[in-house]
Amino acid sequence: MADFLQQLNESQREAVIYNDGPSLVIAGAGSGKTRVITYKIAYLLKNGISPHSILALTFTNKAAREMKVRVTEIIGENMTRLLWIGTFHSIFSKILRREASRIGFYSDFTIYDKQDSKNLIKNIIKEKKLDDKIYKPTFVQNIISKAKNALITPKQYANNCDLIEQYNQAQKAYILYDIYLTYSNRCKIANAMDFDDLLFYTYLLFNECKEIAQKYWNRFQFILVDEYQDTNFAQHEIIQQLTIEQHHRICIVGDDAQSIYSFRGANISNILNFRSIYPESKLFKLEQNYRSTQTIVNAANSLISKNREQIPKTIYSQKAIGEKIRLTGFYSDYEEGSRVANCIAEMHMLKKYEYKDFVILYRTNAQSRIFEEALRKLNIPYKIYGGLSFYQRKEIKDVVAYMRLASNLADEEAIRRIINYPNRGIGDITVNKIIAAASFHNTILWEVLSNPLSYNLKINAATFEKLKKFQLLINRFVEKVSTQNAYNAGRMIIRETGLINNELYEDQTPENISRIQNLEELSNSLYTFVSSRIEEGNANIKISDFLAEIFLLTDQDTDKNENINFVTMMTIHSAKGLEFKNVFVVGLEEGLFPSELSKQNLQEIEEERRLFYVAITRAKENVILTYAKNRFQNGQFHDRLPSRFIKDIDEQYLSLPSKSHVCTNSGGGGSFKESSLINHQNNQSNIGDLRIGNKIRHKRFGDGRIVALIGKNDNAQATVEFEQVGIKQLLLKFARIEMINDD
DNA sequence: CTTTTAATATTTTTT
DNA sequence: ATATTAAAAG
């Protein structure tokens, strides 16, 4: 037992072994935060706490999975199987499915994704004949989301003077209330919850059913929360519901400097106020960074010190001083892309880094494209995270909508999506009649659609027949879904929706081929899902079980090739918690990073600065910052200035490409082109290990042998005799060559 | 009711 | 540039 505690430093160990009451662990970037949580869980288990009574909450499935793996490594699988480690959303949806009847839902409720919920809001606005220029669906969606995150019910919303004040006109506030109320009712009738509902209803459940709350607070004798700075008000309150009235055994871990989700309702004051809520709580600070060089840590400190709101702490590193942070500007986004790609190729070749040692971090997903092209040109393997996840692809969502409907006939958004896809002659007019009748009679769409005559639907005989046919098709699916396992039922649905034959098989465009492959992939994952559950001893796995699982999956969770060596590309947001040897932070421009939209107020600028802090602190060895003076965005070219955040970093940690001021636009351009991303500290660096006589391979010219090496630094050139194309002079700075074995 | 065409809005970050 | 929506033609 003492053994595994030896692997911790003094302050980590103190945090791990204190378990008598609430504790707050402020953990700087790279200070072993996950380590503390996992060791604490192991420590608790070794001290006789039952795994059944420990709850650990994270923000991503990936973090949860990793945590479980690491606890298992310390303490063995038998103990960890019963642990509840998961995201807020997945743990709460598990609880809600168990207790669904208490709050007027059925346990197989659908989870509406953002698109579903936006569509529903859009339809409600239309049905109420409101002007969607004033009540923009996205805006209304945000209002509703904020209300739920603040635990405000529609009823409370109506009476909330602050809000009425805020919208300046009672009229508008009232209409928003009305939409919110209708939206809530429609979701309930559809037996559906959106992401916010998973938190909101959990709170209501615990609040209104004391005996249920009691059941869970008795059960969870110890609660751990990771990334507490990212909790919103609802999450914060639920945690308190589970701990405050009884045992107070809660440990929260976080770093206020890494709070980057306020747009999603995260509230930094949750972590700042923790100590006043639990006055007896103990505070632990983890200040030693084990990840990055001193230069990186110091540079990050100098950056974050420009923010006002923060818990004081001194993050330090005892690793090597390390290289300075490199900063380079380019003429265009295009040049930025190709030079970053070249730099990766060069560092890969000359400095013996593997591709997986690199990450390119950007502010917006849209920036990935240029880097993707540049890397592909150089044949560098890469993987882009984010963007469209597998389950958000159209063809997958279509089939999944059939599955959703078959296992929850109340699902309004699923019906709307597929009632006329593939085309079966049931258009908007008919659908709107059905919806009108359904909301008039306060019933589900399916009910009206199945008995159009008893609801006095004004449709002609032909439409009646079409509805009948649709109804029969779905009924067959329903039957299959309730009798067969997920795989068999899913296969049948994929086959018989007719999507493959009608829509996709017609012409063999690459897009269609990939869509069909995706459907096969879906069928494969159904198979894996069912068989892995059977291994765990649960036979009889239904489509609804599968759906419950995939609703909360994101792109990062569907990753299959973990082991392959590739350059990673992702947004800074999704990079949180990860680390890489070399980090490129690209697009450091005013209007992009910080984003144009965040320039309104200081708080948002501070959040963007924290985001930059997160980006820099991902790096173990090198940070390379780039910006473009001109960028193509939203269909046009924009001149761009370097980001204000660049000058927030203490200059002593930066290595500039030239003496010109990087933060003004008066640099005269010329200096940018000559700058190289690589620090050429010695004459040999471009030549690297190349020697006369070495055999090399060039992407375009093929194989060849070096006959001469001349020049130094950026001018280093090699004369190469190629087998196919004869003698060529190559400027090593740009040449894409690799050494190959001579045999 | 569907398909085609033209116009218009839209983009930050995500469980 | 792309996606979504409205209008017009079939």
Side-chain angles (χ1 to χ4, degrees):
Chain A
M1 146 99 67
D3 261 12
F4 79 99
L5 290 179
Q6 292 307 315
Q7 294 160 18
L8 301 169
N9 73 18
E10 188 69 29
S11 38
Q12 289 171 340
R13 197 177 316 126
E14 277 174 14
V16 165
I17 63 179
Y18 175 78
N19 294 309
D20 299 331
S23 59
L24 162 61
V25 182
I26 296 293
S31 64
K33 173 174 64 83
T34 314
R35 206 178 172 82
V36 165
I37 300 185
T38 50
Y39 276 67
K40 197 189 246 310
I41 294 172
Y43 183 80
L44 290 167
L45 292 173
K46 287 206 177 188
N47 278 290
I49 303 241
S50 150
H52 179 77
S53 50
I54 296 176
L55 171 65
L57 295 168
T58 64
F59 276 84
T60 63
N61 293 305
K62 199 176 177 188
R65 226 177 305 129
E66 193 186 323
M67 206 171 274
K68 205 157 194 177
V69 167
R70 283 168 72 172
V71 177
T72 308
E73 278 167 9
I74 306 173
I75 204 151
E77 200 174 342
N78 289 344
M79 291 293 266
T80 51
R81 200 170 292 148
L82 288 170
L83 280 173
W84 274 31
I85 301 184
T87 63
F88 279 91
H89 290 84
S90 69
I91 297 280
F92 292 167
S93 71
K94 205 158 149 185
I95 294 175
L96 287 171
R97 286 187 197 283
R98 288 188 181 184
E99 320 291 347
S101 61
R102 309 303 295 262
I103 45 164
F105 281 81
Y106 298 93
S107 69
D108 55 358
F109 59 80
T110 301
I111 296 174
Y112 277 175
D113 67 15
K114 251 203 143 144
Q115 195 57 54
D116 292 324
S117 102
K118 192 171 169 181
N119 286 339
L120 178 53
I121 289 169
K122 205 185 289 175
N123 291 326
I124 291 171
I125 291 169
K126 215 176 259 174
E127 285 160 30
K128 291 185 183 297
K129 303 207 168 26
L130 295 165
D131 185 353
D132 63 359
K133 298 286 186 303
I134 299 168
Y135 300 95
K136 288 184 184 159
T138 322
F139 167 76
V140 177
Q141 189 176 30
N142 277 326
I143 295 286
I144 294 176
S145 172
K146 274 195 187 128
K148 285 182 186 166
N149 284 336
L151 302 174
I152 298 172
T153 62
K155 209 173 196 170
Q156 290 164 339
Y157 189 97
N159 304 324
N160 192 321
C161 304
D162 287 355
L163 289 165
I164 294 172
E165 189 85 0
Q166 202 177 319
Y167 300 120
N168 243 336
Q169 355 164 343
Q171 174 70 13
K172 194 169 179 184
Y174 177 78
I175 290 174
L176 286 169
Y177 148 74
D178 192 37
I179 300 173
Y180 179 18
L181 181 67
T182 311
Y183 174 76
S184 278
N185 288 338
R186 286 280 272 277
C187 285
K188 199 160 203 173
I189 291 172
N191 192 29
M193 295 197 194
D194 63 21
F195 284 135
D196 299 315
D197 285 333
L198 295 175
L199 308 177
F200 185 63
Y201 281 118
T202 302
Y203 175 82
L204 289 185
L205 172 73
F206 290 159
N207 206 37
E208 283 163 19
C209 313
K210 276 290 168 247
E211 78 284 4
I212 301 275
Q214 209 154 15
K215 180 168 117 193
Y216 285 98
W217 82 47
N218 282 334
R219 173 177 173 165
F220 298 127
Q221 287 298 309
F222 211 103
I223 297 181
L224 302 100
V225 188
D226 193 12
E227 310 273 19
Y228 204 82
Q229 75 282 353
D230 289 334
T231 53
N232 62 29
F233 184 69
Q235 289 161 328
H236 180 70
E237 288 294 307
I238 296 168
I239 298 295
Q240 282 186 55
Q241 285 178 316
L242 288 172
T243 56
I244 194 116
E245 287 196 42
Q246 206 162 6
H247 50 63
H248 285 211
R249 275 190 295 275
I250 170 168
C251 171
I252 69 165
V253 183
D255 179 5
D256 55 301
Q258 294 185 64
S259 162
I260 54 174
Y261 282 107
S262 74
F263 69 91
R264 202 169 77 187
N267 191 345
I268 201 167
S269 57
N270 288 345
I271 198 167
L272 300 172
N273 293 341
F274 183 80
R275 303 190 74 194
S276 53
I277 295 165
Y278 298 93
E280 81 276 32
S281 67
K282 280 196 95 169
L283 171 69
F284 300 93
K285 284 187 188 176
L286 306 182
E287 298 182 304
Q288 181 172 1
N289 176 311
Y290 290 96
R291 177 186 296 152
S292 318
T293 64
Q294 289 189 31
T295 303
I296 293 171
V297 169
N298 293 339
N301 284 343
S302 71
L303 168 77
I304 203 68
S305 71
K306 308 293 187 297
N307 271 9
R308 277 162 196 249
E309 274 188 63
Q310 52 192 311
I311 297 176
K313 53 188 161 312
T314 329
I315 310 298
Y316 64 97
S317 163
Q318 287 182 349
K319 300 191 78 166
I321 303 279
E323 307 254 337
K324 286 189 176 181
I325 290 179
R326 285 172 245 155
L327 169 68
T328 317
F330 299 106
Y331 282 125
S332 65
D333 47 358
Y334 182 81
E335 193 195 359
E336 182 187 44
S338 60
R339 297 295 285 279
V340 165
N342 273 328
C343 179
I344 290 174
E346 223 170 313
M347 288 174 75
H348 170 68
M349 191 170 64
L350 301 173
K351 297 198 172 176
K352 305 286 175 251
Y353 284 116
E354 294 186 79
Y355 287 129
K356 68 170 194 299
D357 296 332
F358 297 95
V359 67
I360 301 174
L361 298 179
Y362 33 76
R363 180 66 238 273
T364 63
N365 280 308
Q367 288 165 260
S368 66
R369 208 167 182 166
I370 282 180
F371 294 96
E372 183 178 13
E373 280 166 24
L375 290 173
R376 197 172 6 212
K377 267 185 203 156
L378 300 191
N379 257 345
I380 297 174
Y382 61 85
K383 174 150 174 63
I384 300 176
Y385 289 85
L388 262 199
S389 88
F390 181 75
Y391 290 102
Q392 287 177 309
R393 301 210 161 107
K394 185 185 176 308
E395 62 276 16
I396 301 300
K397 286 190 83 168
D398 289 332
V399 174
V400 167
Y402 279 95
M403 297 178 183
R404 277 166 56 172
L405 184 56
S407 53
N408 172 18
L409 285 171
D411 190 333
E412 173 174 346
E413 293 309 305
I415 290 196
R416 296 190 69 120
R417 187 175 184 102
I418 57 177
I419 192 166
N420 199 30
Y421 186 80
N423 282 339
R424 39 176 79 87
I426 308 172
D428 280 349
I429 291 169
T430 309
V431 173
N432 285 335
K433 283 178 190 164
I434 294 173
I435 291 173
S439 59
F440 182 76
H441 291 97
N442 208 24
T443 184
I444 61 175
L445 268 54
W446 179 256
E447 169 67 21
V448 177
L449 180 156
S450 314
N451 313 292
L453 298 181
S454 32
Y455 288 91
N456 274 328
L457 226 56
K458 295 205 170 52
I459 51 170
N460 59 34
T463 310
F464 180 81
E465 277 311 309
K466 289 170 189 164
L467 287 179
K468 192 97 203 159
K469 241 177 127 185
F470 177 67
Q471 189 202 342
L472 287 176
L473 177 76
I474 300 299
N475 275 337
R476 286 181 45 228
F477 291 167
V478 171
E479 204 252 321
K480 207 77 174 177
V481 157
S482 55
T483 55
Q484 303 275 314
N485 73 26
Y487 176 65
N488 290 333
R491 292 279 314 200
M492 181 230 183
I493 290 176
I494 293 173
R495 200 173 50 236
E496 301 201 8
T497 48
L499 293 180
I500 290 188
N501 295 325
N502 295 345
E503 299 281 325
L504 301 177
Y505 242 19
E506 271 177 2
D507 45 341
Q508 294 271 321
T509 58
E511 289 84 8
N512 279 349
I513 291 170
S514 121
R515 286 189 187 119
I516 289 170
Q517 281 170 352
N518 284 335
L519 289 175
E520 270 157 22
E521 185 62 38
L522 178 67
S523 159
N524 287 341
S525 58
L526 274 161
Y527 184 79
T528 339
F529 180 77
V530 172
S531 51
S532 76
R533 289 303 168 97
I534 288 174
E535 268 170 39
E536 287 169 15
N538 304 322
N540 207 16
I541 297 304
K542 293 292 165 48
I543 281 280
S544 54
D545 299 304
F546 180 70
L547 293 175
E549 180 114 340
I550 65 170
F551 282 135
L552 296 168
L553 286 186
T554 63
D555 185 45
Q556 309 230 356
D557 302 316
T558 44
D559 191 17
K560 288 205 171 127
N561 38 359
E562 293 269 343
N563 309 321
I564 300 173
N565 219 335
F566 46 71
V567 174
T568 303
M569 288 191 260
M570 55 172 62
T571 62
I572 303 168
H573 281 89
S574 45
K576 192 157 73 156
L578 306 178
E579 59 179 31
F580 298 85
K581 283 186 181 163
N582 304 301
V583 172
F584 290 83
V585 188
V586 301
L588 276 163
E589 297 138 38
E590 283 295 305
L592 183 61
F593 192 12
S595 147
E596 197 62 49
L597 294 139
S598 70
K599 285 179 164 179
Q600 324 294 339
N601 64 59
L602 183 73
Q603 270 154 17
E604 287 188 45
I605 284 290
E606 295 210 338
E607 173 145 325
E608 297 268 312
R609 192 179 281 114
R610 291 194 292 270
L611 191 58
F612 190 29
Y613 176 83
V614 169
I616 291 174
T617 52
R618 297 311 93 200
K620 296 183 183 177
E621 297 177 14
N622 290 296
V623 175
I624 295 135
L625 310 176
T626 70
Y627 60 89
K629 295 181 60 171
N630 190 282
R631 179 174 297 275
F632 191 73
Q633 208 182 4
N634 299 341
Q636 62 209 69
F637 291 98
H638 298 275
D639 283 333
R640 282 282 157 73
L641 294 173
S643 168
R644 68 186 71 182
F645 295 147
I646 291 171
K647 55 181 186 296
D648 289 339
I649 298 178
D650 194 327
E651 221 176 319
Q652 60 172 307
Y653 306 117
L654 283 180
S655 125
L656 307 180
S658 72
K659 291 258 162 62
S660 68
H661 293 290
V662 290
C663 295
T664 65
N665 205 13
S666 59
S671 59
F672 294 106
K673 197 153 202 172
E674 279 142 30
S675 59
S676 165
L677 285 172
I678 295 266
N679 277 342
H680 294 296
Q681 280 150 337
N682 66 60
N683 299 345
Q684 298 293 311
S685 68
N686 266 331
I687 294 175
D689 291 339
L690 296 178
R691 296 289 177 267
I692 291 171
N694 284 161
K695 203 164 179 198
I696 59 110
R697 177 166 294 159
H698 186 278
K699 229 194 116 209
R700 199 146 47 90
F701 300 143
D703 294 356
R705 196 176 292 279
I706 297 177
V707 296
L709 287 164
I710 52 165
K712 43 179 141 176
N713 292 336
D714 286 358
N715 294 320
Q717 291 175 49
T719 310
V720 183
E721 189 179 333
F722 285 101
E723 288 163 7
Q724 316 290 322
V725 293
I727 291 181
K728 296 271 178 197
Q729 285 281 338
L730 302 177
L731 197 55
L732 289 173
K733 186 176 156 194
F734 297 119
R736 311 196 292 258
I737 58 174
E738 58 176 322
M739 275 213 268
I740 57 174
N741 283 336
D742 197 353
D743 46 28

